[in-house]
Amino acid sequence: MLKTVNIFNKRAKFDYEIIETYTAGIVLTGTEIKSIRLGKANITEGFCEFHNGELFAINTQIDEYLYGNQFNHKAKSERKLLLNKRELRKLERSIDTKGLTIIPLKLFTNEKGLAKLDIGLCRGKKTYDKRESLKEQDVKRDLDRIKKSF
């Protein structure tokens, strides 16, 4: 039985308005997947870009594997994401025309042990949007406290 790993981008929902989400596979080396299974990854500063019609995750950090030797990987490097051609074309069109961006939301391993990355098509929030989301969180927290007391 494999242990599932869930690594979240907690800043994504605060800084961006998420329009659509996709699940993509990642092309990794042996030591990268071992580090992910240990939970040694960070995707909070990451984003995705297109190069020659292919989607790459940029600025995502997967720490070096502790027991790796000279075959160890670089901590920050471009990692290719695997999506259908139809999904890639749709994402590329929406980025070019609407000025949106693609942000990694969640890095996880599925039941087969493969690493997957949930990416979101996002639009950046303004500061007043962030204040509104903070206000909604406070109201929700207060309501939960009131419900708990009854």
Side-chain angles (χ1 to χ4, degrees):
M1 176 113 175
L2 293 173
K3 181 185 120 183
T4 59
V5 176
N6 290 319
I7 299 167
F8 295 97
N9 184 353
K10 296 177 183 176
R11 296 286 304 173
K13 289 184 181 176
F14 183 71
D15 290 337
Y16 299 97
E17 173 189 349
I18 300 169
I19 299 168
E20 285 185 73
T21 60
Y22 298 93
T23 301
I26 313 172
V27 177
L28 297 172
T29 62
T31 56
E32 287 176 328
I33 189 64
K34 290 178 181 182
S35 289
I36 288 174
R37 287 180 182 151
L38 291 175
K40 306 280 185 177
N42 185 7
I43 59 172
T44 55
E45 298 173 0
F47 60 95
C48 300
E49 280 186 351
F50 280 96
H51 296 295
N52 298 328
E54 296 177 337
L55 188 62
F56 289 90
I58 313 267
N59 214 15
T60 55
Q61 180 175 347
I62 300 174
D63 294 337
E64 291 185 356
Y65 184 57
L66 184 63
Y67 302 108
N69 50 16
Q70 76 260 22
F71 301 112
N72 220 341
H73 64 278
K74 296 179 196 170
K76 284 193 176 188
S77 64
E78 295 182 356
R79 292 170 178 88
K80 185 177 176 182
L81 299 179
L82 305 173
L83 288 168
N84 294 334
K85 281 186 181 181
R86 182 178 63 245
E87 293 173 336
L88 285 172
R89 275 188 256 122
K90 183 179 178 183
L91 282 171
E92 195 166 16
R93 271 184 303 207
S94 59
I95 285 176
D96 290 340
T97 57
K98 300 174 186 169
L100 303 174
T101 186
I102 301 173
I103 302 294
L105 302 174
K106 177 181 167 185
L107 179 65
F108 64 97
T109 56
N110 64 3
E111 58 276 350
K112 292 182 181 179
L114 302 174
K116 301 285 182 178
L117 185 68
D118 277 348
I119 57 175
L121 185 63
C122 304
R123 179 181 297 119
K125 283 186 182 179
K126 306 287 187 218
T127 54
Y128 56 85
D129 291 334
K130 293 178 187 178
R131 280 186 259 135
E132 287 179 16
S133 63
L134 283 174
K135 192 183 292 184
E136 288 173 7
Q137 288 175 358
D138 289 340
V139 168
K140 184 179 179 289
R141 191 177 307 120
D142 291 340
L143 286 174
D144 289 342
R145 286 182 189 151
I146 291 170
K147 287 179 183 178
K148 190 175 181 180
S149 66
F150 284 111

